Amino acid sequence: MFLALNEILHSKLRYALVAGVMFLIAYLVFFLTGLAYGLAQDNRTAVDKWEADSIILSKDANSNLGMSMITKKTAEEVKADKIAYLAQTPGVVTSKDSKEGKINVSFFGIDKDQFIMPNLVEGKTFSSDDEAVGDISLKEEYGLKIGDTVKLSGSEKTFKLTGFTDNAKFNVSPVLYTTIDAYQQIRFEKEDSSENARINAIVVRGKIDQLPDDLEQIKISKFINELPGYNAQVLTFGFMIGFLIVIAAIVIGIFIYVLTMQKINIFGVMKAQGITGGFIARSVVAQTFILSFVGILLGLLGTVGTSLVLPDAVPFQSNWLFFGVISLLMLVVAILGALFSVRTIVKIDPLKAIG
């Protein structure tokens, strides 16, 4: 470690460039990880709020919530520990109080007395078909506030915002929670309180005791993976981040190898003086560790700093578990890349190196 530190301090610019390259790669990896995690969460946070075990959809819906249709009569045949009815449809709303002209939202028609009623961070729950509770992003990103009215595009239907909840997005759109009867008006343009009135799903906590033949139970984890575009997005970002970690290792390995080759004569003299190859090799590995650690730490600090100034519309979320695992992987892989230089050091012949 003594030799590694002294050499870094002696050639500050050279080693600063190596640490700088590591910083840029680490910054890119961490930033992409935050974006990938944030975007993935924006697809599913409303589902996570349910804290449910499974969801029941119609068999012919192919695990697609929007394509599932269940009549109230059929829904009443389901027997389980705890159930909640869910009606969902995408929509576009406008408001004279919004910063934006039109807002893409996802309507959740629910029974406010059932367990999928979200927690409120501001205001109160809806009490009629003309009221709704929205995700807090409607306030933070679009400037809406409690008491504002939003109008459904292509319809005369309006909703008054009575409260806000947090972490309630579905397919990257903020959720507006309202009554199931209001959903009927949005989706079918008429009220329907009969036994043939339709909902999309039944959310379940616990085990299911009775399930009609034309319905199927889907675990929440599988349901999330089947959300349109979710799995492809996670895999794409995962491969990108993985390749960047490998590229970082290769770049650091090449830098250390070049630096090692430039110092073969010096290492030859050191060996002739009785310094072992193992001692020199350990100093090279220590150098790699120090440079990688500094670069990764600066990349992490840069990412955190950037996240503080990003606009609310950017779906960036920090996950310290992911950041920690990626940091460890980058350190380990960079050190493995430095082992190619160690092999060269071991083979140095002092007489040839000096000559």
Side-chain angles (χ1 to χ4, degrees), residues 159-184:
F159 293 93
K160 179 182 178 182
L161 291 175
T162 61
F164 290 110
T165 184
D166 59 349
N167 299 320
K169 286 192 174 183
F170 185 73
N171 283 341
V172 198
S173 297
V175 172
L176 276 175
Y177 294 88
T178 186
T179 64
I180 293 177
D181 287 339
Y183 159 81
Q184 302 289 333

Side-chain angles (χ1 to χ4, degrees), residues 131-177:
E131 296 179 341
V133 169
D135 178 59
I136 194 66
S137 62
L138 291 171
K139 177 182 179 180
E140 296 172 345
E141 296 178 28
Y142 302 102
L144 296 177
K145 57 186 183 295
I146 291 175
D148 287 347
T149 300
V150 294
K151 179 178 177 296
L152 184 67
S153 292
S155 169
E156 295 301 318
K157 180 67 178 174
T158 60
F159 293 93
K160 179 182 178 182
L161 291 175
T162 61
F164 290 110
T165 184
D166 59 349
N167 299 320
K169 286 192 174 183
F170 185 73
N171 283 341
V172 198
S173 297
V175 172
L176 276 175
Y177 294 88

Side-chain angles (χ1 to χ4, degrees), residues 67-235:
M67 298 302 295
S68 174
M69 284 294 163
I70 303 172
T71 63
K72 282 188 177 181
K73 180 181 179 181
T74 303
E76 289 171 357
E77 297 176 16
V78 176
K79 305 298 179 185
D81 291 344
K82 213 169 187 181
I83 63 174
Y85 296 154
L86 173 68
Q88 184 273 332
T89 185
V92 178
V93 296
T94 59
S95 173
K96 60 183 179 61
D97 302 299
S98 172
K99 298 176 184 176
E100 305 286 339
K102 295 180 180 179
I103 307 171
N104 291 316
V105 297
S106 183
F107 284 99
F108 275 17
I110 63 172
D111 183 335
K112 67 178 181 179
D113 295 322
Q114 295 178 333
F115 70 83
I116 61 173
M117 176 64 200
N119 63 299
L120 296 180
V121 295
E122 189 177 334
K124 61 181 182 179
T125 186
F126 52 83
S127 57
S128 71
D129 298 345
D130 298 320
E131 296 179 341
V133 169
D135 178 59
I136 194 66
S137 62
L138 291 171
K139 177 182 179 180
E140 296 172 345
E141 296 178 28
Y142 302 102
L144 296 177
K145 57 186 183 295
I146 291 175
D148 287 347
T149 300
V150 294
K151 179 178 177 296
L152 184 67
S153 292
S155 169
E156 295 301 318
K157 180 67 178 174
T158 60
F159 293 93
K160 179 182 178 182
L161 291 175
T162 61
F164 290 110
T165 184
D166 59 349
N167 299 320
K169 286 192 174 183
F170 185 73
N171 283 341
V172 198
S173 297
V175 172
L176 276 175
Y177 294 88
T178 186
T179 64
I180 293 177
D181 287 339
Y183 159 81
Q184 302 289 333
Q185 298 171 31
I186 297 168
R187 184 72 182 269
F188 306 110
E189 298 183 351
K190 63 178 181 178
E191 294 186 16
D192 189 352
S193 300
S194 70
E195 62 179 15
N196 292 319
R198 288 163 287 179
I199 59 175
N200 294 97
I202 304 168
V203 184
V204 179
R205 280 183 186 171
K207 65 177 183 178
I208 298 174
D209 299 317
Q210 181 177 315
L211 186 67
D213 294 336
D214 56 343
L215 303 182
E216 66 172 338
Q217 175 190 7
I218 301 172
K219 293 292 183 184
I220 288 294
S221 57
K222 181 183 177 183
F223 171 71
I224 290 173
N225 284 328
E226 294 291 333
L227 291 175
Y230 176 83
N231 204 34
Q233 171 198 305
V234 170
L235 288 175

